[in-house]
Amino acid sequence: MGRSRMSAVDVMIVGAMAVAGAFGHARDTAAQEADGYERKMRLGGELKQQAEEKLAQARKLTNESPRREHLKKEARAMLWKSGEAFSAAMDEIKLCLDDNPQLEAALVQLRLASAITSQEIARTYPEDAAERAKNMRGALAEFQAIHKVYRRNVAGLFAQAFAAECHQELGEYDEALQIYGELIDLPA
């Protein structure tokens, strides 16, 4: 029987939902708010999963296949909607942070999920397309912003590693190597 593979975004969503579930139900109002952003997180995750399935189908086709581009466009649309759902969930969590600062962990996990989704959107465009570079730069900026705020914890390190990937995909190999080197040089 095949084993289901969880992507980095799936792990982030599960973690954010666990945090929201653990801390978001402390009071009745917090429980109602948690329900709203948990639904948005689930929706974002489900749309992303559907997009990944379409991209997997597209990878099986030859580059010349018109169906391949059609599947990539469908996946891109789903990824955009996924990103919108993640963004809406983050907006709702931000409204609750004053009452429940523990939700910060859910927020940072959603920020990472959103940035990874942006990176995946960029990858749905042809390698030489201006849209790919534009979206990859947007994802890079998101990862750098996360790293700047959370550089001293695991979320910041993940963001830094994904930023290196973005540099690599943009052909900025010196920047990517510098980041990879910094990550390798971290104490164990």
Side-chain angles (χ1 to χ4, degrees), residues 120-182:
E120 290 176 352
I121 289 169
R123 290 176 175 155
T124 65
Y125 291 101
E127 287 189 30
D128 58 348
E131 294 94 347
R132 182 182 181 107
K134 177 184 171 190
N135 284 283
M136 193 62 71
R137 290 220 175 274
L140 174 60
E142 289 180 67
F143 289 125
Q144 289 171 330
I146 295 166
H147 178 254
K148 184 177 180 180
V149 175
Y150 301 102
R151 69 180 48 221
R152 298 194 189 274
N153 67 34
V154 175
L157 298 176
F158 272 116
Q160 192 176 23
F162 282 111
E165 267 187 16
C166 290
H167 280 299
Q168 186 175 344
E169 291 190 42
L170 288 164
E172 299 167 352
Y173 302 112
D174 290 340
E175 291 88 343
L177 286 171
Q178 180 181 349
I179 293 171
Y180 288 135
E182 290 170 7

Side-chain angles (χ1 to χ4, degrees), residues 6-20 37-38 40-49 82 86 106 109-110 112-114 117:
M6 287 185 72
S7 70
V9 174
D10 296 330
V11 171
M12 302 291 171
I13 293 165
V14 169
M17 288 175 67
V19 168
Y37 56 75
E38 285 176 355
K40 289 176 175 71
M41 285 188 289
R42 277 193 298 275
L43 174 62
E46 289 168 7
L47 287 166
K48 189 191 159 303
Q49 181 64 39
S82 174
F86 292 148
Q109 289 173 327
L110 275 169
L112 276 168
S114 179
T117 300

Side-chain angles (χ1 to χ4, degrees), residues 63-105:
N63 286 343
E64 297 80 29
S65 172
R67 174 104 174 106
R68 179 182 173 111
E69 279 310 306
H70 178 74
L71 287 167
K72 286 176 122 182
K73 285 180 184 178
E74 286 181 345
R76 186 179 313 126
M78 289 177 179
L79 287 168
W80 278 112
K81 288 179 181 176
S82 174
E84 290 169 357
F86 292 148
S87 183
M90 286 187 285
D91 289 345
E92 288 193 27
I93 288 176
K94 288 175 188 175
L95 294 174
C96 304
L97 280 178
D98 289 342
D99 295 332
N100 198 344
Q102 293 92 344
L103 289 175
E104 180 75 22

